mmCIF file of all heavy atoms in Angstrom:
data_model
loop_
_atom_site.group_PDB
_atom_site.id
_atom_site.type_symbol
_atom_site.label_atom_id
_atom_site.label_comp_id
_atom_site.label_asym_id
_atom_site.label_seq_id
_atom_site.Cartn_x
_atom_site.Cartn_y
_atom_site.Cartn_z
ATOM 1 N N GLU A 55 -15.813 2.471 8.060
ATOM 2 C CA GLU A 55 -15.658 3.709 7.294
ATOM 3 C C GLU A 55 -16.758 3.767 6.239
ATOM 4 O O GLU A 55 -17.124 2.747 5.654
ATOM 5 C CB GLU A 55 -14.296 3.736 6.586
ATOM 6 C CG GLU A 55 -13.133 3.669 7.536
ATOM 7 C CD GLU A 55 -11.853 3.133 6.883
ATOM 8 O OE1 GLU A 55 -11.935 2.539 5.802
ATOM 9 O OE2 GLU A 55 -10.791 3.291 7.488
ATOM 10 N N GLU A 84 -9.741 -5.087 1.706
ATOM 11 C CA GLU A 84 -9.988 -4.134 2.797
ATOM 12 C C GLU A 84 -11.486 -3.838 2.928
ATOM 13 O O GLU A 84 -11.969 -3.485 3.989
ATOM 14 C CB GLU A 84 -9.216 -2.846 2.492
ATOM 15 C CG GLU A 84 -9.315 -1.819 3.589
ATOM 16 C CD GLU A 84 -8.593 -0.523 3.253
ATOM 17 O OE1 GLU A 84 -7.377 -0.551 3.082
ATOM 18 O OE2 GLU A 84 -9.273 0.512 3.168
ATOM 19 N N ASP A 103 -6.258 -3.398 -1.378
ATOM 20 C CA ASP A 103 -7.047 -2.212 -1.021
ATOM 21 C C ASP A 103 -7.481 -1.640 -2.368
ATOM 22 O O ASP A 103 -6.662 -1.086 -3.102
ATOM 23 C CB ASP A 103 -6.171 -1.203 -0.251
ATOM 24 C CG ASP A 103 -6.942 0.057 0.110
ATOM 25 O OD1 ASP A 103 -8.093 0.200 -0.346
ATOM 26 O OD2 ASP A 103 -6.393 0.902 0.837
ATOM 27 N N LEU A 105 -9.242 0.866 -3.529
ATOM 28 C CA LEU A 105 -9.061 2.289 -3.837
ATOM 29 C C LEU A 105 -8.573 2.992 -2.580
ATOM 30 O O LEU A 105 -9.366 3.386 -1.732
ATOM 31 C CB LEU A 105 -10.370 2.901 -4.337
ATOM 32 C CG LEU A 105 -10.200 4.080 -5.285
ATOM 33 C CD1 LEU A 105 -9.331 3.715 -6.485
ATOM 34 C CD2 LEU A 105 -11.542 4.575 -5.756
ATOM 35 N N ASP A 106 -7.264 3.097 -2.488
ATOM 36 C CA ASP A 106 -6.670 3.713 -1.305
ATOM 37 C C ASP A 106 -6.663 5.238 -1.448
ATOM 38 O O ASP A 106 -6.471 5.760 -2.541
ATOM 39 C CB ASP A 106 -5.241 3.208 -1.133
ATOM 40 C CG ASP A 106 -4.588 3.807 0.090
ATOM 41 O OD1 ASP A 106 -5.056 3.520 1.201
ATOM 42 O OD2 ASP A 106 -3.636 4.593 -0.073
ATOM 43 N N GLY A 107 -6.881 5.902 -0.305
ATOM 44 C CA GLY A 107 -6.905 7.377 -0.321
ATOM 45 C C GLY A 107 -8.254 7.884 -0.798
ATOM 46 O O GLY A 107 -8.362 8.955 -1.386
ATOM 47 N N SER A 108 -9.306 7.086 -0.541
ATOM 48 C CA SER A 108 -10.579 7.385 -1.210
ATOM 49 C C SER A 108 -11.221 8.703 -0.754
ATOM 50 O O SER A 108 -12.124 9.189 -1.435
ATOM 51 C CB SER A 108 -11.555 6.210 -1.112
ATOM 52 O OG SER A 108 -11.658 5.755 0.193
ATOM 53 N N ASN A 197 0.218 13.143 9.273
ATOM 54 C CA ASN A 197 -0.963 13.968 9.548
ATOM 55 C C ASN A 197 -0.793 14.585 10.928
ATOM 56 O O ASN A 197 -1.102 13.981 11.954
ATOM 57 C CB ASN A 197 -2.234 13.124 9.482
ATOM 58 C CG ASN A 197 -3.475 13.979 9.684
ATOM 59 O OD1 ASN A 197 -3.379 15.130 10.136
ATOM 60 N ND2 ASN A 197 -4.620 13.429 9.340
ATOM 61 N N ASN A 200 -2.990 14.910 14.260
ATOM 62 C CA ASN A 200 -3.134 13.851 15.279
ATOM 63 C C ASN A 200 -2.063 13.934 16.361
ATOM 64 O O ASN A 200 -1.987 13.052 17.218
ATOM 65 C CB ASN A 200 -3.042 12.467 14.617
ATOM 66 C CG ASN A 200 -4.155 12.239 13.623
ATOM 67 O OD1 ASN A 200 -5.281 12.688 13.837
ATOM 68 N ND2 ASN A 200 -3.858 11.555 12.530
ATOM 69 N N TRP A 231 1.710 16.222 2.790
ATOM 70 C CA TRP A 231 0.685 15.268 3.228
ATOM 71 C C TRP A 231 -0.423 15.240 2.183
ATOM 72 O O TRP A 231 -1.163 16.218 2.028
ATOM 73 C CB TRP A 231 0.103 15.620 4.608
ATOM 74 C CG TRP A 231 -0.824 14.546 5.111
ATOM 75 C CD1 TRP A 231 -2.183 14.608 5.248
ATOM 76 C CD2 TRP A 231 -0.456 13.218 5.525
ATOM 77 N NE1 TRP A 231 -2.678 13.415 5.716
ATOM 78 C CE2 TRP A 231 -1.639 12.537 5.891
ATOM 79 C CE3 TRP A 231 0.758 12.522 5.609
ATOM 80 C CZ2 TRP A 231 -1.649 11.222 6.341
ATOM 81 C CZ3 TRP A 231 0.749 11.206 6.061
ATOM 82 C CH2 TRP A 231 -0.441 10.575 6.427
ATOM 83 N N ALA A 233 -2.620 12.606 1.978
ATOM 84 C CA ALA A 233 -3.719 11.777 2.513
ATOM 85 C C ALA A 233 -4.058 10.636 1.555
ATOM 86 O O ALA A 233 -5.189 10.169 1.495
ATOM 87 C CB ALA A 233 -4.958 12.597 2.852
ATOM 88 N N SER A 234 -3.062 10.205 0.803
ATOM 89 C CA SER A 234 -3.202 9.085 -0.113
ATOM 90 C C SER A 234 -1.868 8.334 -0.062
ATOM 91 O O SER A 234 -0.857 8.810 -0.576
ATOM 92 C CB SER A 234 -3.461 9.640 -1.517
ATOM 93 O OG SER A 234 -3.736 8.610 -2.397
ATOM 94 N N MET A 235 -1.875 7.195 0.632
ATOM 95 C CA MET A 235 -0.617 6.497 0.873
ATOM 96 C C MET A 235 0.099 6.141 -0.436
ATOM 97 O O MET A 235 1.324 6.166 -0.514
ATOM 98 C CB MET A 235 -0.894 5.237 1.690
ATOM 99 C CG MET A 235 0.350 4.573 2.201
ATOM 100 S SD MET A 235 -0.048 2.976 2.904
ATOM 101 C CE MET A 235 1.443 2.614 3.794
ATOM 102 N N PHE A 249 7.464 8.535 5.459
ATOM 103 C CA PHE A 249 6.010 8.554 5.626
ATOM 104 C C PHE A 249 5.696 7.905 6.962
ATOM 105 O O PHE A 249 6.225 6.843 7.284
ATOM 106 C CB PHE A 249 5.344 7.756 4.489
ATOM 107 C CG PHE A 249 3.878 7.481 4.723
ATOM 108 C CD1 PHE A 249 2.921 8.411 4.344
ATOM 109 C CD2 PHE A 249 3.453 6.300 5.322
ATOM 110 C CE1 PHE A 249 1.562 8.161 4.572
ATOM 111 C CE2 PHE A 249 2.099 6.055 5.552
ATOM 112 C CZ PHE A 249 1.160 6.985 5.169
ATOM 113 N N TYR A 251 2.415 6.900 9.631
ATOM 114 C CA TYR A 251 1.073 6.887 10.224
ATOM 115 C C TYR A 251 1.227 6.082 11.502
ATOM 116 O O TYR A 251 1.000 4.873 11.535
ATOM 117 C CB TYR A 251 -0.019 6.339 9.300
ATOM 118 C CG TYR A 251 -1.318 7.098 9.551
ATOM 119 C CD1 TYR A 251 -1.907 7.874 8.569
ATOM 120 C CD2 TYR A 251 -1.897 7.095 10.812
ATOM 121 C CE1 TYR A 251 -3.042 8.620 8.821
ATOM 122 C CE2 TYR A 251 -3.031 7.841 11.086
ATOM 123 C CZ TYR A 251 -3.593 8.598 10.088
ATOM 124 O OH TYR A 251 -4.711 9.343 10.364
ATOM 125 N N LYS A 263 -3.881 3.488 11.967
ATOM 126 C CA LYS A 263 -4.990 3.596 11.008
ATOM 127 C C LYS A 263 -4.858 2.575 9.877
ATOM 128 O O LYS A 263 -5.837 2.035 9.388
ATOM 129 C CB LYS A 263 -5.036 4.996 10.401
ATOM 130 C CG LYS A 263 -6.122 5.089 9.341
ATOM 131 C CD LYS A 263 -6.332 6.440 8.737
ATOM 132 C CE LYS A 263 -7.525 6.325 7.764
ATOM 133 N NZ LYS A 263 -7.776 7.539 7.014
ATOM 134 N N LEU A 264 -3.619 2.340 9.473
ATOM 135 C CA LEU A 264 -3.416 1.554 8.247
ATOM 136 C C LEU A 264 -3.427 0.056 8.526
ATOM 137 O O LEU A 264 -3.112 -0.386 9.629
ATOM 138 C CB LEU A 264 -2.113 1.983 7.580
ATOM 139 C CG LEU A 264 -2.101 3.477 7.197
ATOM 140 C CD1 LEU A 264 -0.753 3.886 6.641
ATOM 141 C CD2 LEU A 264 -3.215 3.797 6.200
ATOM 142 N N ARG A 265 -3.801 -0.682 7.516
ATOM 143 C CA ARG A 265 -3.978 -2.110 7.672
ATOM 144 C C ARG A 265 -2.744 -2.875 7.191
ATOM 145 O O ARG A 265 -2.191 -2.565 6.136
ATOM 146 C CB ARG A 265 -5.229 -2.570 6.901
ATOM 147 C CG ARG A 265 -6.475 -2.299 7.716
ATOM 148 C CD ARG A 265 -7.513 -1.453 7.099
ATOM 149 N NE ARG A 265 -7.101 -0.159 6.597
ATOM 150 C CZ ARG A 265 -7.909 0.885 6.488
ATOM 151 N NH1 ARG A 265 -9.148 0.792 6.903
ATOM 152 N NH2 ARG A 265 -7.482 2.033 5.979
ATOM 153 N N GLU A 269 -2.085 -2.607 3.227
ATOM 154 C CA GLU A 269 -1.311 -1.376 3.049
ATOM 155 C C GLU A 269 0.114 -1.537 3.579
ATOM 156 O O GLU A 269 1.086 -1.320 2.854
ATOM 157 C CB GLU A 269 -2.032 -0.212 3.763
ATOM 158 C CG GLU A 269 -3.346 0.163 3.085
ATOM 159 C CD GLU A 269 -4.379 0.813 3.998
ATOM 160 O OE1 GLU A 269 -4.356 0.555 5.224
ATOM 161 O OE2 GLU A 269 -5.222 1.570 3.502
HETATM 162 P P1 AHM B 1 -8.392 4.381 3.064
HETATM 163 O O1 AHM B 1 -7.800 3.039 2.723
HETATM 164 O O2 AHM B 1 -9.704 4.271 3.732
HETATM 165 O O3 AHM B 1 -8.395 5.326 1.913
HETATM 166 O O4 AHM B 1 -7.437 5.001 4.222
HETATM 167 C C1 AHM B 1 -6.059 5.026 4.062
HETATM 168 C C2 AHM B 1 -5.574 6.422 3.794
HETATM 169 C C3 AHM B 1 -4.134 6.463 3.344
HETATM 170 O O5 AHM B 1 -4.050 6.452 1.954
HETATM 171 C C4 AHM B 1 -3.654 7.778 3.901
HETATM 172 O O6 AHM B 1 -2.279 7.737 4.201
HETATM 173 C C5 AHM B 1 -4.469 7.966 5.139
HETATM 174 O O7 AHM B 1 -5.623 7.148 4.995
HETATM 175 C C6 AHM B 1 -4.910 9.374 5.305
HETATM 176 O O8 AHM B 1 -5.500 9.516 6.548
HETATM 177 P P2 AHM B 1 -6.015 10.931 7.125
HETATM 178 O O9 AHM B 1 -7.431 11.033 6.645
HETATM 179 O O10 AHM B 1 -5.877 10.771 8.609
HETATM 180 O O11 AHM B 1 -5.158 12.018 6.578
#
Side-chain angles (χ1 to χ4, degrees):
E55 300 157 344
E84 184 182 297
D103 179 353
L105 208 55
D106 181 65
S108 50
N197 183 345
N200 298 324
W231 187 250
S234 186
M235 190 189 194
F249 168 86
Y251 215 116
K263 176 176 183 185
L264 300 175
R265 279 123 306 206
E269 292 154 333

